[in-house]
Amino acid sequence: MAASSHRIMLGPLVAAIDQGTSSTRFLVFNSKTAELLSHHQVEIKQSFPKEGWVEEDPKEILQSVYECMERTCEKLTQLNIDISNIKAIGVTNQRETTLVWDKETGEPLYNAIVWLDLRTQSTVERLINKTPGRNKNHLKHKTGLPISTYFSAVKLRWLMDNVDEVREAVVCHRAMFGTVDSWLIWCLTGGKKGGVHCTDVTNASRTMLFNIHTMDWDPELCKYFGIPMEILPRVRSSSEIYGLMKSGALSGIPISGCLGDQSAALVGQMCFQDGQAKNTYGTGCFLLRNTGPKPVMSDHGLLTTVAYKLGRDKPACYALEGSVAIAGAVVRWLQDNLGIIGSSEELEKLAASVGTSYGCYFVPAFSGLYAPYWEPSARGIICGLTQFTNKSHLAFAALEAVCFQTREILDAMNQDSGIPLTQLQVDGGMTSNRLLMQLQADILCIPVVKPSMPETTALGAAMAAGAAEGVSVWSLSPEDLSEVTSEKFEPQINPEESEFRYARWKKAVQKSMNWETTEPSD
């Protein structure tokens, strides 16, 4: 089809900024067909200044967004697609990652502390020790979350306790706190010249400062962590016009969608019904199940979180979430730290060359264990080694680890809901690994279904932006949602073998626990 005639057929376009832990992407979709037209991706540097510390540079994050936007617009122009057809921009982001900046200078006051950072372990222990009965679930009735290094409030508390610039800015009423979505929206809508300081309900629900029942910041929670409420962004729905782009080729276009990445993937996978679920394989691994308009509390170590609120006057929907800290990050570790692979594609080849871990189990508890254990003292462990074990077995064990961790959160999800999932919808970068997908089906003993367009997180943000009041170019009513083509992986091993391997995995997990009792002294 000639480019010029193709141009006539395109309806309104919607773009999405997808700012993840390891990369930033900008993607442009056709709002009528949900087809991905063009995108650009830039890797983000992570720094590890001390053991257990993970940081990113807020200015590099912002710069990567501008770069992805510019490159994507150039690619669209080459495809003869008019960028003035872009009617809205959605934002989706790595959640919990914590930033503080100066509202007068617009400068960050410290690096972004990334969600899987562990420096707050002593802060967490101190907070838990002051709760009645030393209960990590002391705030769960309001937040849906255990007190953990994972969430933003403890990172913000650490910044206020340990960084002079942050403390001074808070005292002088110049500090602004935000997760990555807030930082990006504030900068893109003008920054120190009138930028909009806001977040959406899904990102807010990951801070431990947000009451998931009242759907607003909670004065008691803020008092508990000693956080002044004036530094917090305004909480908005996930689909409304927050402000307009203030610079670049897309200046004047509304930013009208905002969802934490895992919520965005739930929307992008069209999981709008109570009971529908998806699992995303990114840096970590996140299984979310829509529980409808009522928050459901887990008895099996899952989080209760806000799934989305698609409009100011629309009801909020909630989800149960199983969060695994290390999934794709284990691939990066094998590549950057051990040097046994040169790329993620190589991992699949290496693992496939042996087809078994030969009794080797790898528990990548680099940031402690998240769901369903919430055990910050755990550390990574490789066990079951013999003289026969080689790097190919380790590669296979790393892929199995991702699958076993998913099995643990799926089991918890099934126990909480009482209705077992009959298949698993998946997305995220690692789903391009076909061996991983087959292993996942084998270990879960249910089919794994992967959409042929893997960018579901960005799609969810674009849907929220395009459906916003005042934009209204994307219909979310069930009959208008486009049919998704997908591929299905069926289990191929007998359940007994699967159960045996899973039992061994659980034994390995027990051995990884209670390793680090508190933060090592400098």
Side-chain angles (χ1 to χ4, degrees):
M1 187 186 283
S4 54
S5 65
H6 189 57
R7 187 173 178 172
I8 300 158
M9 295 178 64
L10 293 178
L13 311 180
V14 179
I17 296 164
D18 180 355
Q19 205 300 298
T21 314
S22 54
S23 71
T24 300
R25 301 184 194 56
F26 187 71
L27 308 94
V28 177
F29 297 92
N30 180 336
S31 67
K32 295 293 168 253
T33 62
E35 176 195 4
L36 174 60
L37 299 174
S38 185
H39 68 103
H40 189 75
Q41 178 169 349
V42 170
E43 290 234 331
I44 295 290
K45 280 198 278 294
Q46 295 179 6
S47 57
F48 308 98
K50 293 185 186 177
E51 188 196 351
W53 291 32
V54 190
E55 295 179 4
E56 291 178 355
D57 176 353
K59 290 168 100 166
E60 185 195 340
I61 289 174
L62 180 63
Q63 200 42 53
S64 71
V65 170
Y66 282 124
E67 186 183 335
C68 288
M69 284 180 163
E70 281 166 34
R71 293 285 167 276
T72 305
C73 287
E74 286 167 15
K75 290 177 186 179
L76 287 171
T77 308
Q78 285 164 5
L79 291 166
N80 213 7
I81 295 168
D82 188 349
I83 61 172
S84 69
N85 270 348
I86 298 174
K87 301 303 179 199
I89 298 169
V91 174
T92 180
N93 56 289
Q94 49 170 314
R95 304 169 304 169
E96 301 97 13
T97 295
T98 300
L99 298 94
V100 180
W101 65 95
D102 184 316
K103 65 179 166 197
E104 286 168 24
T105 64
E107 291 291 310
L109 296 168
Y110 194 77
N111 274 341
I113 301 185
V114 177
W115 55 276
L116 25 78
D117 183 281
L118 286 181
R119 76 188 64 188
T120 53
Q121 196 172 331
S122 53
T123 311
V124 166
E125 285 174 11
R126 194 172 72 240
L127 288 165
I128 291 173
N129 285 340
K130 75 173 193 184
T131 66
R134 296 191 172 179
N135 176 13
K136 66 183 166 203
N137 290 320
H138 179 60
L139 306 173
K140 191 173 159 184
H141 64 290
K142 281 188 172 186
T143 62
L145 314 170
I147 301 170
S148 158
T149 57
Y150 183 21
F151 307 109
S152 315
V154 290
K155 301 179 196 298
L156 180 52
R157 183 67 260 160
W158 187 92
L159 286 166
M160 288 167 62
D161 290 339
N162 293 281
V163 181
D164 293 341
E165 292 82 351
V166 171
R167 195 178 333 137
E168 283 160 23
V170 169
V171 170
C172 302
H173 308 288
R174 290 200 329 268
M176 282 185 159
F177 153 78
T179 40
V180 171
D181 54 309
S182 302
W183 165 245
L184 292 179
I185 292 172
W186 187 78
C187 293
L188 296 172
T189 56
K192 61 185 177 183
K193 299 191 181 104
V196 178
H197 189 214
C198 69
T199 187
D200 90 299
V201 292
T202 68
N203 279 296
S205 76
R206 314 296 293 188
T207 58
M208 294 207 91
L209 301 171
F210 182 80
N211 184 317
I212 60 174
H213 308 286
T214 64
M215 295 298 281
D216 210 346
W217 301 122
D218 189 293
E220 283 183 11
L221 290 170
C222 292
K223 198 171 151 197
Y224 181 84
F225 289 101
I227 308 288
M229 293 183 81
E230 63 173 47
I231 73 173
L232 305 178
R234 185 174 150 215
V235 183
R236 315 267 291 261
S237 78
S238 313
S239 177
E240 60 178 271
I241 296 174
Y242 312 111
L244 305 180
M245 285 286 295
K246 284 292 188 288
S247 66
L250 302 176
S251 188
I253 295 174
I255 299 176
S256 54
C258 180
L259 290 153
D261 53 8
Q262 302 313 321
S263 286
L266 196 73
V267 171
Q269 286 261 29
M270 325 278 175
C271 296
F272 294 125
Q273 304 300 312
D274 184 348
Q276 288 184 301
K278 65 88 208 171
N279 196 32
T280 301
Y281 300 77
T283 299
C285 205
F286 302 89
L287 176 63
L288 272 74
R289 181 172 184 144
N290 188 329
T291 62
K294 289 203 173 65
V296 174
M297 292 293 163
S298 169
D299 297 321
H300 299 93
L302 302 180
L303 309 176
T304 304
T305 201
V306 179
Y308 51 80
K309 178 178 162 64
L310 295 173
R312 229 176 293 200
D313 308 320
K314 297 278 185 356
C317 272
Y318 296 88
L320 274 175
E321 171 175 323
S323 329
V324 168
I326 306 290
V330 78
V331 183
R332 217 173 175 174
W333 184 81
L334 290 171
Q335 186 176 324
D336 298 349
N337 296 35
L338 295 196
I340 67 170
I341 51 167
S343 68
S344 47
E345 294 74 39
E346 225 177 291
L347 178 69
E348 184 174 1
K349 285 199 197 83
L350 201 59
S353 70
V354 285
T356 170
S357 67
Y358 217 86
C360 167
Y361 288 81
F362 183 177
V363 182
F366 301 159
S367 294
L369 287 166
Y370 283 16
Y373 301 102
W374 299 105
E375 195 48 78
S377 66
R379 286 296 177 273
I381 181 174
I382 299 170
C383 52
L385 299 175
T386 66
Q387 279 176 310
F388 186 75
T389 314
N390 63 32
K391 65 181 182 178
S392 305
H393 301 121
L394 185 57
F396 197 93
L399 293 181
E400 276 192 319
V402 175
C403 300
F404 285 133
Q405 291 183 103
T406 297
R407 165 90 193 253
E408 291 191 301
I409 50 182
L410 186 74
D411 282 0
M413 194 84 66
N414 287 342
Q415 286 172 310
D416 272 326
S417 70
I419 307 160
L421 282 181
T422 53
Q423 61 175 34
L424 184 65
Q425 283 174 243
V426 300
D427 58 81
M430 284 189 93
T431 60
S432 61
N433 184 323
R434 300 179 63 83
L435 174 60
L436 178 72
M437 295 295 93
Q438 185 55 55
L439 266 177
Q440 188 66 87
D442 290 345
I443 285 167
L444 296 180
C445 307
I446 57 172
V448 166
V449 181
K450 169 194 160 185
S452 46
M453 199 289 291
E455 300 288 355
T456 16
T457 300
L459 176 61
M463 287 162 67
E469 193 183 336
V471 178
S472 303
V473 296
W474 203 308
S475 166
L476 299 184
S477 56
E479 63 276 9
D480 294 329
L481 293 174
S482 45
E483 271 301 301
V484 180
T485 55
S486 57
E487 181 179 3
K488 200 180 233 189
F489 294 83
E490 300 277 357
Q492 290 177 352
I493 64 172
N494 67 36
E496 289 75 37
E497 188 195 337
S498 182
E499 290 304 322
F500 173 77
R501 277 156 59 181
Y502 184 47
R504 293 292 286 270
W505 160 263
K506 292 198 111 159
K507 198 167 154 185
V509 169
Q510 290 306 318
K511 294 193 184 305
S512 76
M513 294 208 200
N514 301 315
W515 187 262
E516 213 41 83
T517 42
T518 187
E519 199 177 272
S521 55
D522 285 0

